[in-house]
Amino acid sequence: MTDVASDIEAGEAVVSGAGAVDHGLVAELVARAQAGGVKLTGEGGLLQQLTKRVLESALEGELTDHLGHEPGERAEGGRENYRNGHRSKTVITESGPVEIAVPLNKTDRVPPFATQTRPPMR
């Protein structure tokens, strides 16, 4: 598994892929799902919901990196490119189809996301 980098106030820290998972948090999520009658797998299950959140968070992070500023912040040197809503996309995963909101930006038809599976139609 690859390393995962995360920003920390004092600088950058690298956490190995296996150490990136907080087992206590996972146990809490599973317990909450079971207590709330949410299935762990299948349509609407916990695994599908987590997949949606992780993918959307990664896409938002990639767009932030691409634009060079956080949502709501002004870009240095003017507004050459900015966020421009979302579009819906269904991603087929091992836990079933997951509908995600893909963030868009103004000047690029489709942002250069690492998760993109094929070239954009032009």
Side-chain angles (χ1 to χ4, degrees), residues 60 63-65 67-76 78-79 81-86 103-105:
E60 288 290 347
L63 185 57
T64 295
D65 286 346
L67 296 176
H69 57 87
E70 295 290 331
E73 289 182 354
R74 292 268 181 206
E76 292 182 24
R79 274 180 80 157
N81 196 1
Y82 52 92
R83 295 176 196 297
N84 191 29
H86 294 81
L104 302 173
N105 63 69

Side-chain angles (χ1 to χ4, degrees), residues 11-97:
E12 295 232 343
V14 177
V15 180
S16 70
V21 176
D22 181 333
H23 296 287
L25 178 58
V26 171
E28 181 181 339
L29 288 171
V30 169
R32 281 180 166 179
Q34 290 173 334
V38 175
K39 300 180 294 180
L40 297 180
T41 60
E43 178 108 18
L46 177 64
L47 185 56
Q48 197 175 52
Q49 292 177 42
L50 287 173
T51 301
K52 174 182 173 62
R53 301 265 190 229
V54 167
L55 288 174
E56 288 177 344
S57 178
L59 291 170
E60 288 290 347
E62 286 183 346
L63 185 57
T64 295
D65 286 346
H66 177 68
L67 296 176
H69 57 87
E70 295 290 331
E73 289 182 354
R74 292 268 181 206
E76 292 182 24
R79 274 180 80 157
E80 298 168 7
N81 196 1
Y82 52 92
R83 295 176 196 297
N84 191 29
H86 294 81
R87 71 177 170 93
S88 179
K89 181 173 186 160
T90 301
V91 179
I92 307 301
T93 70
E94 289 183 12
S95 60

